[in-house]
Amino acid sequence: MESTRSNLPPVIIPRPEHNVSRANISPNAVKVLYRLREAGYRACLVGGGVRDLLLGREPKDFDVATDARPEQVYKLFRNCRLIGRRFRLAHVQFGQEIVEVATFRACGRDSDDSDGPSVERAADGRILSDNVYGTIEDDAWRRDFTINALYYDIANFAVLDYVGGMADLQAGLIRLIGDPAQHYHEDPVRLLRAVRFAAKLGFRLDPATEAPLHRLGHLLEKIPPARLFDEVLKLFLGGCAIQTFELLRHYRLFVWLFPATERCLNHQQHHYPKTLLVRALASTDSRLAENKPVNPAFLFAALLWEPLRERMRHLEAEGLDAHMALQEAAERVIQAQIRHTALPRRYSLPMREIWELQQRLTVIAGKRALRLLDHPRFRAGYDFLLLRAEADEQAAELADWWTQLLALDPAGRVLATQPAPKAKKGKPRRRRKPRSARGGDQAAQPAPEA
Ligand code: ATP
Ligand code: MG
């Protein structure tokens, strides 16, 4: 079924009949809502904040929609910045927290309409800028999914539903507002958002919303890599990376984000690469569940690990030594990837270091091995080795060695890394295994080759 615009009055769910409470809204967002209202404007909470509160979940952020123009919002708050080209928005900053305030917008008239500002479109129908202001109802209809278009009105604490979002929320359905194919063309990032919300909320995709997904992934080629990078972080750092990854592959969207990785996943006969990636995603999810920090560099190191190895194999076959092959392969993998998603240097540099450490961690004798413990990226490199160890016997042996070394005191570590007279360089040797060490809770669980 398609949700088409009806111009019927909204369904109004009065305060006693819903569970959105001011107590669960960030105090700063409440402040913004009241300040707008006191200045005579309409002010509503909208988007993920309302959706998540209705579902009894904790919202990630709170977005405010208003009939005040950005300049008018700007005048009301000292701590306010106007941002955005495609959408002009006000950001009201409270310490770390930003409350985003957007003016009600219309889907927009197209350029050939005579009066008023217009939506700027690319030849393929993508909306490049749309600063056409409108009513709250217009604003509801220009949003992506019905469940994202519910308004919590600070004037009377009611929830307003113009698009059937409440019913879809109750049914657990992700449904695009309006004509699905057209909406995906207007902003192809909605393809990724559909998958992200389905995974995060555990919702089903409405058939009409789902049908075009398989065949429209190519539209993502038109999206600037910087925006896709931001989306990738939301996709994989939202706490449901595994389901998101499976859905992205199922709908053939992953290939447009990480084509080299997709090729490796398809070409490898055995399951090793998928295992490493899925384990990295699983560990990301469980770290987030425990409120531990996650590092995008680690995630990208895992996502691009197999493409890196493949290139290294080719370069080594051409005669490069392992070190040079890694440097060259890393460079090429990154250059190929940034045509699809950006990869800012603050992430690509530590990602390369994590990769380099996989080589350096094979040196397990002498001062060089000891010094590695002080490497700023040692922990990430070691964690990555543990991940590899879960599916790779050789890596498991190496990981085991480092795990045991870490369990020793400084003197024990010096002893354990003293070079053996006839040792072959570059290979983990059981003989030199620090004997007195115990595995500890971070011990790798060597698994048989998957
Ligand atoms: P999250 O929990 O990830 O914050 P969200 O629904 O709040 O989810 P945001 O990216 O914060 O997502 O966007 C806020 C709201 O703006 C959305 O709920 C939706 O109504 C609207 N919106 C965001 N992106 C788009 C888009 N590409 N097309 C149409 N509407 C959008
Ligand atoms: Mg949000």
Side-chain angles (χ1 to χ4, degrees):
M1 205 189 83
E2 193 180 292
S3 69
T4 34
R5 184 156 181 175
S6 57
N7 287 323
L8 291 173
V11 174
I12 299 174
I13 301 113
R15 176 63 189 94
E17 289 168 33
H18 67 72
N19 65 336
V20 178
S21 150
R22 270 165 298 165
N24 297 328
I25 304 172
S26 113
N28 293 324
V30 173
K31 235 182 271 174
V32 170
L33 289 166
Y34 275 119
R35 177 85 57 90
L36 285 163
R37 164 129 181 94
E38 280 154 17
Y41 300 111
R42 263 199 104 166
C44 297
L45 202 64
V46 66
V50 182
R51 179 196 67 217
D52 291 348
L53 288 177
L54 286 168
L55 290 171
R57 303 170 66 107
E58 192 187 332
K60 208 178 69 197
D61 47 35
F62 292 93
D63 298 314
V64 169
T66 178
D67 58 1
R69 299 293 166 93
E71 313 75 51
Q72 295 171 317
V73 178
Y74 183 77
K75 284 194 192 130
L76 283 181
F77 300 94
R78 264 190 312 127
N79 44 340
C80 180
R81 281 191 318 136
L82 296 185
I83 60 138
R85 248 181 319 155
R86 191 170 165 276
F87 289 129
R88 206 158 162 68
L89 293 172
H91 272 180
V92 188
Q93 182 120 26
F94 300 87
Q96 294 278 34
E97 186 183 356
I98 291 176
V99 178
E100 199 168 278
V101 183
T103 305
F104 296 144
R105 276 193 186 74
C107 261
R109 285 146 288 197
D110 276 316
S111 316
D112 47 344
D113 267 10
S114 47
D115 55 342
S118 63
V119 171
E120 192 192 330
R121 283 175 195 271
D124 58 11
R126 260 181 314 136
I127 294 184
L128 298 176
S129 86
D130 79 32
N131 283 311
V132 184
Y133 300 120
T135 63
I136 182 171
E137 183 173 2
D138 295 328
D139 193 69
W141 285 98
R142 63 112 187 145
R143 288 180 183 271
D144 49 4
F145 304 102
T146 59
I147 56 167
N148 285 349
L150 295 163
Y151 296 77
Y152 168 80
D153 193 340
I154 199 68
N156 54 11
F157 314 126
V159 170
L160 310 178
D161 181 4
Y162 293 88
V163 296
M166 263 319 223
D168 286 341
L169 207 59
Q170 275 150 11
L173 270 185
I174 308 284
R175 186 201 309 270
L176 265 179
I177 295 169
D179 174 61
Q182 185 192 335
H183 270 227
Y184 287 134
H185 274 92
E186 281 175 356
D187 182 5
V189 167
R190 291 170 182 158
L191 298 161
L192 301 175
R193 290 175 60 87
V195 164
R196 177 156 73 86
F197 293 125
K200 165 174 155 166
L201 304 173
F203 277 25
R204 275 181 308 121
L205 290 156
D206 177 70
T209 296
E210 181 181 29
L213 277 182
H214 297 273
R215 55 183 169 84
L216 293 184
H218 65 94
L219 295 175
L220 292 172
E221 275 191 309
K222 301 274 174 54
I223 303 299
R227 188 162 175 223
L228 285 187
F229 174 76
D230 291 344
E231 258 341 282
V232 163
L233 293 190
K234 289 189 200 166
L235 284 163
F236 291 120
L237 301 180
C240 308
I242 296 268
Q243 293 95 314
T244 306
F245 170 70
E246 300 292 354
L247 285 181
L248 285 174
R249 290 203 72 215
H250 175 76
Y251 292 116
R252 284 183 249 140
L253 295 171
F254 185 76
V255 63
W256 300 99
L257 298 172
F258 294 95
T261 311
E262 176 71 28
R263 261 196 311 277
C264 292
L265 288 169
N266 292 331
H267 285 174
Q268 298 281 337
Q269 303 86 336
H270 55 82
H271 301 300
Y272 170 65
K274 178 148 187 220
T275 311
L276 176 105
L277 185 46
V278 168
R279 292 205 167 126
L281 297 176
S283 107
T284 303
D285 286 345
S286 57
R287 286 182 69 90
L288 287 168
E290 295 166 43
N291 276 323
K292 288 189 192 162
V294 288
N295 184 353
F298 191 87
L299 183 71
F300 273 84
L303 278 160
L304 297 173
W305 174 245
E306 220 29 58
L308 177 86
R309 296 213 322 158
E310 193 181 80
R311 288 203 187 237
M312 276 182 73
R313 275 195 295 274
H314 285 131
L315 291 165
E316 285 183 78
E318 285 170 21
L320 261 63
D321 67 34
H323 176 74
M324 282 307 294
L326 174 70
Q327 296 302 323
E328 183 63 28
E331 189 57 36
R332 292 190 196 177
V333 166
I334 292 169
Q335 288 310 318
Q337 181 58 33
I338 59 177
R339 288 192 278 127
H340 305 280
T341 70
L343 189 45
R345 284 176 73 79
R346 68 179 181 284
Y347 300 124
S348 67
L349 289 180
M351 174 184 81
R352 284 182 81 136
E353 286 182 300
I354 290 170
W355 287 343
E356 282 159 21
L357 276 165
Q358 303 313 300
Q359 258 176 8
R360 296 175 66 182
L361 286 166
T362 60
V363 178
I364 55 170
K367 288 212 174 75
R368 272 171 71 194
L370 266 189
R371 270 206 307 269
L372 269 189
L373 295 173
D374 298 324
H375 189 288
R377 214 66 63 192
F378 173 82
R379 190 70 218 186
Y382 166 73
D383 282 345
F384 199 82
L385 177 63
L386 289 183
L387 214 58
R388 291 171 49 215
E390 292 184 42
D392 173 334
E393 235 168 67
Q394 229 185 333
E397 213 177 304
L398 196 58
D400 208 25
W401 189 91
W402 283 98
T403 301
Q404 297 191 42
L405 186 77
L406 284 171
L408 295 175
D409 61 14
R413 290 177 183 181
V414 172
L415 259 177
T417 49
Q418 259 161 25
K422 273 191 276 170
K424 250 201 206 159
K425 207 177 162 191
K427 276 197 179 167
R429 286 143 302 179
R430 292 196 171 281
R431 221 161 9 115
R432 300 233 52 85
K433 221 181 235 183
R435 238 174 276 140
S436 56
R438 287 208 193 88
D441 61 356
Q442 50 203 347
Q445 300 285 309
E449 189 93 44

